[in-house]
Amino acid sequence: MNMELQKPKHLISLASSGVLVSVDVNVWSATKQDRGISNEVTTAKKADRNAGKYVKNLLADHPKHKALVNYRQTIYNWVKRRTYRWNNSSDYLPSIDLERFKREYHEHQQAFDSLLVGFLADYDSIVSDMAFKQGDMFCRDDYPNKEELASKFGIRLFVSEVPMNDFRCNIAQDIADDLFETYKGQAAEIVSHVMMEQQTRFIEVMKSISHCCGYDDMGVDDNTGETKQRKRKIYDTTIVKAKEMCESFKQFNLTGDPELEEARASLEKALAGVDAEAIRESDAVRSAVKEDVDSILGKFGAFQCV
């Protein structure tokens, strides 16, 4: 029997609203298991040879190599902030954010490459230094030459469309029904996750703005008896992030959620013509922004339960 499995509406919405992306960052681990030392330790401890192993840290956490390792995590954190989870190999990126994502990717790529150039330039002297730090554990063969080493590092961006293949199956009716329900459920689950993540991120940025627009009590003034207060720091990145969300969510609301749209529009209005500097310099602006943001958080109680 020929049967076409109709694409779930949610998946069509996902495919027309975004793409799948993945960023691979390769960094040489600079570690190597030393079986000889492992055997020495297990023998000295009267243990089975398979009871433990010794892994050499070939660069002893050299700052220039560690900077590359840390920057790999910086890139992964950036991808997580900009996208929504799709599966173990790809993440979902709204189309509206694609241009910005690619621009920021190139900035990260340049920063990573700059760190790599600095590391490779000092590599020979670093290895020479390791000959002293590693002592009797040092083995020059553990260290690749520069050409081989360079190939162990890299950063690549992959962009693909959300799969929209026609599903036509020459299978029994009950199998087709079961496959369709599974397919439909997976699509709905992804949409639900994206919407929940949107709400969570929106709440977090509003709570951050509300907190930063407040004051810290600094104790009681001995002379006046009044409570001294200090303005909390407000960061440019917080306000920029909030405005970016307002712009992105305006065009990316998969289910047309009216509460999300109303909250988005309200925050956009509250931040219109306002930047971090204006909040820092004007108590009136600080107070007005905090009041508006608190009102949004209070009105949309469903968000606060996310």
Side-chain angles (χ1 to χ4, degrees), residues 174-185:
D174 57 342
I175 298 178
D177 290 342
D178 180 67
L179 180 58
F180 176 74
E181 289 303 318
T182 299
Y183 180 50
K184 182 171 64 175

Side-chain angles (χ1 to χ4, degrees), residues 36-276:
I37 297 176
S38 298
N39 290 340
E40 287 181 22
V41 173
T42 52
T43 299
K45 296 296 183 180
K46 300 179 181 180
D48 187 281
R49 288 194 172 189
N50 295 317
K53 62 181 180 180
Y54 186 86
V55 177
K56 294 191 292 188
N57 186 350
L58 299 177
L59 298 181
D61 287 335
H62 190 277
K64 290 202 170 183
H65 178 262
K66 195 171 183 179
L68 283 160
V69 174
N70 291 341
Y71 201 77
R72 174 178 57 186
Q73 189 60 50
T74 296
I75 293 173
Y76 286 155
N77 291 341
W78 161 72
V79 172
K80 184 177 180 181
R81 287 196 308 271
R82 289 300 190 206
T83 62
Y84 302 90
R85 193 63 173 159
W86 181 267
N87 56 32
N88 290 333
S89 59
S90 300
D91 296 293
Y92 184 79
L93 175 70
S95 296
I96 182 63
D97 294 332
L98 181 57
E99 183 178 351
R100 179 181 64 188
F101 186 87
K102 292 182 71 175
R103 182 179 68 252
E104 292 178 349
Y105 166 77
H106 287 303
E107 292 172 357
H108 282 301
Q109 184 180 43
Q110 290 174 357
F112 182 85
D113 288 344
S114 177
L115 291 173
L116 179 57
V117 168
F119 171 65
L120 292 177
D122 289 354
Y123 179 63
D124 289 336
S125 62
I126 293 173
V127 173
S128 296
D129 187 44
M130 289 303 111
F132 294 97
K133 290 187 176 181
Q134 295 281 347
D136 292 342
M137 295 191 302
F138 180 78
C139 175
R140 186 60 183 84
D141 292 340
D142 291 339
Y143 298 84
N145 59 47
K146 277 190 178 182
E147 183 177 340
E148 182 184 353
L149 179 65
S151 68
K152 296 179 180 292
F153 293 84
I155 172 173
R156 294 185 66 188
L157 168 65
F158 299 90
V159 181
S160 61
E161 296 180 346
V162 174
M164 286 293 290
N165 298 326
D166 286 327
F167 283 77
R168 298 176 184 274
C169 309
N170 294 321
I171 52 180
Q173 179 70 48
D174 57 342
I175 298 178
D177 290 342
D178 180 67
L179 180 58
F180 176 74
E181 289 303 318
T182 299
Y183 180 50
K184 182 171 64 175
Q186 289 174 343
E189 184 178 342
I190 291 171
V191 171
S192 177
H193 170 76
V194 170
M195 294 302 296
M196 290 291 289
E197 186 65 24
Q198 278 186 295
Q199 293 177 6
T200 299
R201 294 180 185 183
F202 209 47
I203 295 170
E204 287 178 350
V205 76
M206 286 194 289
K207 285 184 175 179
S208 180
I209 293 173
S210 175
H211 174 78
C212 292
C213 285
Y215 298 81
D216 288 320
D217 290 338
M218 302 301 295
V220 177
D221 189 298
D222 294 334
N223 297 321
T224 64
E226 296 180 352
T227 300
K228 295 183 292 185
Q229 292 186 319
R230 180 179 63 188
K231 296 178 183 178
R232 294 182 181 134
K233 291 183 179 180
I234 181 75
Y235 297 96
D236 295 329
T237 52
T238 302
I239 302 301
V240 170
K241 181 194 294 186
K243 290 185 175 182
E244 286 179 347
M245 283 188 187
C246 287
E247 181 61 27
S248 178
F249 292 177
K250 183 177 184 178
Q251 302 182 55
F252 182 64
N253 187 336
L254 285 173
T255 62
D257 189 321
E259 286 190 328
L260 178 62
E261 171 54 23
E262 186 172 352
R264 184 209 65 77
S266 297
L267 183 60
E268 183 178 56
K269 182 179 179 181
L271 297 179
V274 174
D275 57 19

